Amino acid sequence: MYKSVCEYLNLLLHINLKIRRNMKTYDVIIIGSGPAGIITGVTAKKRNPDKSILLLGESQKGLVPCGIPYVFHRLDSVEKDKMGPKPFMDAGGDFQADKAVDIDPEKKIVTLDSGQAYEYGKLVFATGSTPVVPKFIKGYDMEGVEYIKKNYDYIEGLVEKAKKAKNIVVIGGGFIGAEVAEQLQLNGSHNVSLVEMEKYCFCNAFSTELADMATEELKKTGVNVMTSTKVTEITGENGKVSAVKVDSGKEIQADMVIAAIGYRPNTELAKKSGLQLNKIGAIIADQYGRTSVNDICAAGDCAGTTGFLTGKEDTIMLASTATAEARVCGYNLFGICLKRHFSGTLGVFSTEINGMVMAAAGVNAKTAWEANVNYASAVFSDVDRHPGAFSDCSPLSVRLYVSLSDGSIIGGEVWGGKSAGEIINTISMSIQKNVTVYELVEFQFGTHPLLTTAPTKYVLVKAAEAVINKIR
Amino acid sequence: MYKSVCEYLNLLLHINLKIRRNMKTYDVIIIGSGPAGIITGVTAKKRNPDKSILLLGESQKGLVPCGIPYVFHRLDSVEKDKMGPKPFMDAGGDFQADKAVDIDPEKKIVTLDSGQAYEYGKLVFATGSTPVVPKFIKGYDMEGVEYIKKNYDYIEGLVEKAKKAKNIVVIGGGFIGAEVAEQLQLNGSHNVSLVEMEKYCFCNAFSTELADMATEELKKTGVNVMTSTKVTEITGENGKVSAVKVDSGKEIQADMVIAAIGYRPNTELAKKSGLQLNKIGAIIADQYGRTSVNDICAAGDCAGTTGFLTGKEDTIMLASTATAEARVCGYNLFGICLKRHFSGTLGVFSTEINGMVMAAAGVNAKTAWEANVNYASAVFSDVDRHPGAFSDCSPLSVRLYVSLSDGSIIGGEVWGGKSAGEIINTISMSIQKNVTVYELVEFQFGTHPLLTTAPTKYVLVKAAEAVINKIR
């Protein structure tokens, strides 16, 4: 009886407080409406239809992040790359175009830019990432220095500006830089240069061998690719960019400079709210996305990742990784209903440059060396049809990286025709399930003349055989 | 000392016997030079370079078996579909164009059609399969009734004959029948009809749902597809075919009839040699290809298979299955150096009809029901690019079949664009590694706008989610 009275009084007090604050409570509030935010929301809402979930985002008009390079040519439209919170709203979630500016983790209150405030049961950071600004380059702040921001209106403006630019210099040869350079070049209206300080483009994701190939393909599109080159200064007149100076002393004409030197996690608010960040400034989160603060989770680019093999902090920022984290986070917000089976982040990358597909999963020679892993590696090359006489036949190669300690597949690269984009997923599955090279060699796969390599030399199996021959 | 003398005398006797017989000994003799024979040979030779290996085949000119339908149109040439024992000979093996006609398993001697004989250490049957002759149909033996034999000269002749045929009737709507009908129709010179007694084509490999779709695609190419229809008689004049009568009473004009009602294992010699055969006449072989007779193995279409889920005899005859068996057999001829990890045959099928790809692995609704397996199943459909605005975008759907006992993936179907041909292999790997639907939903996959579904709705993961929602 006494307890009930207490509870009743407590409830009254609670109601009173809420009325006073005029504050609504959501079971879940998600900050950020990119892929991680939307997928956390959709997953959590479908799993818990009775929970109230609010998604906060800048605008209902978002972008498919990995599709941005293609708005400059292949899609030829920003509208066609649109992605928004509709799937989440269709699932019954609430969306609000507003920005979280303050969090009280004790009282569990989020305050928005508009002044409005909500109480939350669980809070999810899905605040994404922002292009790194090259403050170390003189002239970085001139008019005409642009970024690939994941923002609809900004990109729409950028497309218009690019139309007026004859000479464009892209700084940075990662996926975004290289793909944007390729697409701008292929649209035929610009002279595009790309400056990369490493020996090859894509060298963060690909082995030296594959990065070399990818760089050569990029050159074939007509992009003036300058590797092993550093930008020393962006120069211009009246505050407007006119050229880029590089360390060889050479000057490249530029009406527009696109800085694509990486992204940094958006974690100012997280830091302010007392969440622990890792060395690169990402939110430290466990395998279920739980942060250092009770009832606050993080998923996607703003959350730190841990390499599956090294167990060390990683800097992988991919929409595929973000959505995988978001699914795990969304499922497990109210208790572990989806036990995590594979710990750590794998990193599965793919791209197409000049019609050549290149993909990678797990470690490569360079990252295996850095992690001090003993491995064997071998490549097998054939074509993606059988017989090879079909007119739409493309080359196809697979390289596997195999742990010498237990024979398990720890990495792979695939390049050639379009099917490489899915073959890398069979490799990724193999890594996640600890498939050994001995199991892979007896893999029961499917083949068809119009779709795959021949059954006599199915690329994954032959690459596995080649590794076994090296191990013996 | 005594032992050495004995051994010496024994050796002398052995040499003497051989000289008397004028008989060469091979460590391994393989009968049959299709995919299973070639792969067994290549694998065994590479693994044991010091062993002498002889491959016996009808001719050095073989065919890529699954490529045969395409010689009628897409390849437009039999030469382009050629496949021979060259890879085996390059690896150091001997090839002889001859036929084994007698085996003495006691003395371990193979006698050839030419009268020559060899002693063997290990003998491998890779004798393949032959089209079933529809002896139950009156008129089956008339001129103009043809088959899809895996024989270069025969197929070359058939292509020439087909050129003169206006009306062609294909009997049987399995992969070979349907693909041959499609290609003959697409080459534009024939009226092609296909008669299938089941309700849909492809019903041995696909679920009813997918078989229905595949049949509709085949109809769209212009083939006159008659399902739920039986051929009652092949009629003609002067022993030459002129029409096909079906059970509705209808008569279809025919200058050529292609009987594609299945293949039967070539096991006359095996039976004569005392090897145990299963109910469908295939050689009973264990998971390493070992038959009921010492030192005799079997791989490929002539060897029986056991369903991975049912543990029962299966009738799968695929080049991919054959080569997987051949690899296991070739590796393990002289002791188990490649431990078999996955027991039973999975069956991974794929085809493309009218530009639509359809693929299946493991069980489907029908085979799960037959095997009395409790399962849940769900489908997810999207497109194979992201955003979907790319001009080369195709629909893409995945259906998963999941065991209710442990949540493991036991089957899958994929249909739509070309990438389905490799996505089915990620499903196949999942089945072979007992991946559960809960693991699949947190699968770390790779995506790219030009290559795959969006990361927010990667088809395998979304199909897994759909199954989980059904199970709950």
Side-chain angles (χ1 to χ4, degrees):
Chain A
M1 180 64 190
Y2 171 74
K3 202 184 160 205
S4 297
V5 172
C6 277
E7 274 175 1
Y8 180 70
L9 287 171
N10 212 350
L11 183 69
L12 275 184
L13 182 71
H14 195 71
I15 290 167
N16 184 38
L17 272 171
K18 273 208 195 176
I19 291 166
R20 223 170 5 112
R21 286 190 207 138
N22 189 22
M23 195 180 293
K24 188 176 169 180
T25 298
Y26 275 101
D27 294 317
V28 183
I29 296 179
I30 301 163
I31 310 174
S33 62
I38 292 171
I39 293 299
T40 303
V42 169
T43 310
K45 188 69 195 172
K46 286 196 176 165
R47 195 76 193 173
N48 310 281
D50 51 328
K51 302 281 186 191
S52 57
I53 308 186
L54 173 69
L55 182 68
L56 297 167
E58 284 184 10
S59 149
Q60 283 209 33
K61 256 187 357 190
L63 286 168
V64 178
C66 29
I68 297 174
Y70 302 98
V71 305
F72 296 101
H73 175 56
R74 283 279 292 258
L75 289 174
D76 203 23
S77 143
V78 182
E79 173 72 22
K80 286 182 187 166
D81 195 47
K82 205 166 77 175
M83 179 188 82
K86 192 175 173 298
F88 169 70
M89 291 154 82
D90 290 347
D94 289 351
F95 176 82
Q96 187 169 334
D98 208 333
K99 203 182 158 183
V101 293
D102 190 72
I103 289 157
D104 184 336
E106 291 296 320
K107 294 184 185 148
K108 300 177 77 172
I109 292 170
V110 179
T111 308
L112 307 184
D113 201 26
S114 59
Q116 213 174 347
Y118 295 114
E119 248 185 307
Y120 64 81
K122 307 275 178 187
L123 184 69
V124 180
F125 276 83
T127 44
S129 60
T130 310
V132 172
V133 175
K135 293 190 180 172
F136 50 88
I137 300 174
K138 199 181 156 192
Y140 80 92
D141 52 355
M142 268 192 284
E143 192 189 326
V145 178
E146 303 285 349
Y147 301 92
I148 305 299
K149 294 185 188 173
K150 290 167 274 184
N151 175 298
Y152 193 96
D153 295 333
Y154 177 86
I155 293 295
E156 203 166 45
L158 184 60
V159 166
E160 289 311 307
K161 286 182 194 169
K163 281 180 186 162
K164 292 169 205 146
K166 181 74 193 151
N167 300 305
I168 301 179
V169 176
V170 176
I171 307 177
F175 284 97
I176 296 294
E179 288 175 355
V180 166
E182 189 230 29
Q183 289 295 303
L184 283 168
Q185 182 66 35
L186 291 179
N187 85 19
S189 320
H190 321 282
N191 301 318
V192 182
S193 297
L194 185 145
V195 186
E196 165 60 47
M197 63 178 189
E198 300 288 341
K199 199 172 171 193
Y200 303 110
C201 298
F202 302 100
C203 60
N204 276 345
F206 291 158
S207 67
T208 303
E209 174 191 25
L210 192 54
D212 185 4
M213 276 187 263
T215 307
E216 288 309 306
E217 290 301 323
L218 186 57
K219 286 178 184 169
K220 286 181 200 163
T221 64
V223 173
N224 169 33
V225 181
M226 306 168 79
T227 51
S228 304
T229 303
K230 277 184 191 165
V231 172
T232 51
E233 191 181 344
I234 299 169
T235 60
E237 279 168 37
N238 306 323
K240 201 181 166 327
V241 67
S242 68
V244 168
K245 278 190 187 167
V246 296
D247 52 0
S248 66
K250 211 179 153 183
E251 213 174 86
I252 319 155
Q253 296 298 308
D255 311 312
M256 176 184 276
V257 171
I258 298 176
I261 58 167
Y263 289 77
R264 58 166 187 77
N266 288 330
T267 52
E268 294 77 9
L269 180 63
K271 192 178 177 183
K272 202 179 106 182
S273 312
L275 273 65
Q276 279 182 18
L277 305 185
N278 70 13
K279 275 182 264 173
I280 65 153
I283 301 166
I284 294 176
D286 69 11
Q287 58 179 341
Y288 293 103
R290 296 172 298 203
T291 71
S292 57
V293 173
N294 262 350
D295 293 322
I296 301 187
C297 289
D301 287 3
C302 69
T305 56
T306 306
F308 82 102
L309 189 67
T310 62
K312 289 185 181 169
E313 276 169 17
D314 222 320
T315 55
I316 290 169
M317 292 185 197
L318 287 169
S320 53
T321 308
T323 57
E325 287 169 17
R327 264 175 218 107
V328 172
C329 178
Y331 266 101
N332 299 310
L333 274 175
F334 299 97
I336 307 302
C337 30
L338 182 74
K339 191 184 84 181
R340 187 81 182 256
H341 296 86
F342 182 79
S343 61
T345 298
L346 194 60
V348 192
F349 304 94
S350 52
T351 188
E352 182 181 317
I353 298 289
N354 193 36
M356 179 169 166
V357 176
M358 288 154 286
V363 303
N364 60 40
K366 194 170 47 187
T367 51
W369 184 84
E370 284 165 7
N372 201 15
V373 177
N374 285 318
Y375 72 95
S377 170
V379 68
F380 180 78
S381 297
D382 199 65
V383 291
D384 62 355
R385 302 283 182 267
H386 67 279
F390 284 108
S391 58
D392 64 342
C393 185
S394 300
L396 189 66
S397 297
V398 168
R399 179 178 281 286
L400 291 175
Y401 299 89
V402 174
S403 160
L404 283 178
S405 73
D406 63 0
S408 64
I409 314 292
I410 54 174
E413 293 185 317
V414 192
W415 60 96
K418 288 219 175 234
S419 60
E422 289 294 353
I423 293 175
I424 200 66
N425 286 324
T426 304
I427 294 179
S428 179
M429 179 58 83
S430 303
I431 298 171
Q432 287 169 66
K433 286 301 290 180
N434 280 304
V435 172
T436 68
V437 73
Y438 307 102
E439 290 172 283
L440 193 54
V441 87
E442 51 153 303
F443 175 44
Q444 293 182 40
F445 51 83
T447 56
H448 189 273
L450 306 180
L451 305 170
T452 68
T453 317
T456 49
K457 36 190 182 167
Y458 185 65
V459 281
L460 284 179
V461 169
K462 294 301 284 183
E465 273 194 342
V467 175
I468 290 175
N469 288 339
K470 281 204 176 176
I471 292 178
R472 280 174 72 203
Chain B
M1 179 61 190
Y2 171 74
K3 201 185 160 201
S4 298
V5 171
C6 276
E7 273 175 1
Y8 179 70
L9 287 172
N10 212 350
L11 183 69
L12 275 184
L13 184 72
H14 196 71
I15 291 168
N16 184 36
L17 273 171
K18 273 210 195 174
I19 291 167
R20 225 167 8 111
R21 284 191 207 137
N22 188 25
M23 195 179 295
K24 191 176 168 179
T25 298
Y26 275 101
D27 293 319
V28 182
I29 296 179
I30 300 162
I31 309 174
S33 63
I38 292 172
I39 293 301
T40 303
V42 169
T43 310
K45 188 69 196 172
K46 286 195 176 163
R47 195 75 191 174
N48 309 280
D50 52 328
K51 302 282 186 191
S52 58
I53 308 185
L54 173 68
L55 183 68
L56 296 168
E58 283 184 11
S59 149
Q60 282 210 34
K61 259 187 356 192
L63 286 168
V64 178
C66 28
I68 297 174
Y70 303 98
V71 306
F72 296 101
H73 174 57
R74 284 279 291 259
L75 290 173
D76 204 23
S77 142
V78 182
E79 174 70 25
K80 286 182 186 164
D81 195 47
K82 206 167 75 177
M83 178 188 81
K86 193 175 173 298
F88 169 70
M89 291 155 82
D90 290 349
D94 291 350
F95 175 81
Q96 188 170 332
D98 208 333
K99 202 182 159 185
V101 292
D102 191 72
I103 289 157
D104 183 335
E106 290 296 319
K107 295 184 182 147
K108 299 175 79 174
I109 292 170
V110 178
T111 306
L112 307 184
D113 201 26
S114 59
Q116 214 174 347
Y118 295 114
E119 250 184 304
Y120 65 80
K122 307 275 180 188
L123 185 69
V124 180
F125 275 84
T127 44
S129 59
T130 310
V132 172
V133 175
K135 293 189 179 174
F136 50 88
I137 299 174
K138 199 180 156 192
Y140 80 92
D141 52 354
M142 268 192 283
E143 194 190 326
V145 178
E146 303 285 349
Y147 302 91
I148 305 299
K149 294 184 187 174
K150 290 167 271 183
N151 175 298
Y152 193 96
D153 294 333
Y154 177 87
I155 293 294
E156 205 166 44
L158 184 60
V159 167
E160 289 312 306
K161 285 182 195 169
K163 281 180 186 163
K164 291 169 204 144
K166 183 72 194 155
N167 301 305
I168 301 179
V169 176
V170 177
I171 307 176
F175 285 97
I176 297 293
E179 288 174 356
V180 166
E182 189 230 29
Q183 290 294 301
L184 283 168
Q185 181 67 36
L186 292 178
N187 86 19
S189 320
H190 319 283
N191 301 319
V192 182
S193 298
L194 185 145
V195 185
E196 165 59 47
M197 63 178 190
E198 299 287 342
K199 197 172 172 192
Y200 304 110
C201 297
F202 301 100
C203 60
N204 276 344
F206 292 158
S207 66
T208 303
E209 174 190 26
L210 192 54
D212 184 4
M213 277 188 261
T215 307
E216 288 309 308
E217 290 301 324
L218 186 57
K219 286 178 185 170
K220 286 181 200 162
T221 65
V223 173
N224 169 33
V225 181
M226 306 167 79
T227 51
S228 305
T229 303
K230 277 183 192 166
V231 172
T232 50
E233 190 181 346
I234 299 169
T235 59
E237 280 167 36
N238 306 320
K240 203 181 166 324
V241 66
S242 67
V244 168
K245 278 190 187 166
V246 296
D247 53 0
S248 65
K250 211 179 155 184
E251 211 174 88
I252 318 154
Q253 295 297 307
D255 310 312
M256 177 184 274
V257 171
I258 298 176
I261 57 168
Y263 289 78
R264 58 166 186 77
N266 287 330
T267 52
E268 294 77 9
L269 181 62
K271 193 178 177 186
K272 201 179 103 180
S273 311
L275 273 67
Q276 279 182 17
L277 306 185
N278 70 15
K279 275 182 264 174
I280 65 151
I283 301 167
I284 293 176
D286 69 13
Q287 58 178 339
Y288 293 102
R290 296 172 299 203
T291 70
S292 56
V293 174
N294 261 352
D295 293 322
I296 301 186
C297 290
D301 287 2
C302 69
T305 56
T306 305
F308 83 101
L309 188 67
T310 61
K312 289 187 183 168
E313 277 169 17
D314 222 320
T315 55
I316 289 168
M317 291 186 198
L318 287 168
S320 54
T321 307
T323 59
E325 288 170 16
R327 266 176 215 104
V328 172
C329 178
Y331 265 100
N332 299 310
L333 275 175
F334 299 98
I336 307 301
C337 30
L338 183 75
K339 191 186 83 180
R340 187 81 183 256
H341 296 85
F342 182 78
S343 61
T345 299
L346 193 61
V348 192
F349 305 93
S350 52
T351 189
E352 183 182 316
I353 298 289
N354 192 37
M356 179 168 167
V357 176
M358 288 154 286
V363 304
N364 59 41
K366 194 171 47 185
T367 52
W369 184 84
E370 283 165 7
N372 201 13
V373 178
N374 284 318
Y375 72 95
S377 169
V379 68
F380 180 78
S381 297
D382 199 64
V383 290
D384 61 355
R385 303 283 181 265
H386 66 278
F390 285 110
S391 58
D392 65 342
C393 185
S394 301
L396 188 66
S397 297
V398 168
R399 178 179 281 285
L400 292 175
Y401 300 90
V402 174
S403 160
L404 283 178
S405 72
D406 63 1
S408 63
I409 314 292
I410 53 173
E413 293 186 315
V414 192
W415 61 97
K418 288 220 175 238
S419 61
E422 290 293 354
I423 293 174
I424 200 66
N425 285 324
T426 303
I427 294 178
S428 179
M429 179 60 84
S430 303
I431 299 171
Q432 286 170 66
K433 287 301 289 180
N434 279 305
V435 173
T436 67
V437 74
Y438 307 103
E439 290 173 283
L440 193 54
V441 88
E442 50 153 300
F443 175 44
Q444 293 182 40
F445 51 84
T447 55
H448 189 273
L450 306 180
L451 305 170
T452 67
T453 317
T456 48
K457 34 189 182 168
Y458 184 64
V459 280
L460 284 179
V461 169
K462 293 302 284 185
E465 273 194 343
V467 175
I468 290 174
N469 289 339
K470 280 204 176 176
I471 292 177
R472 282 173 70 203

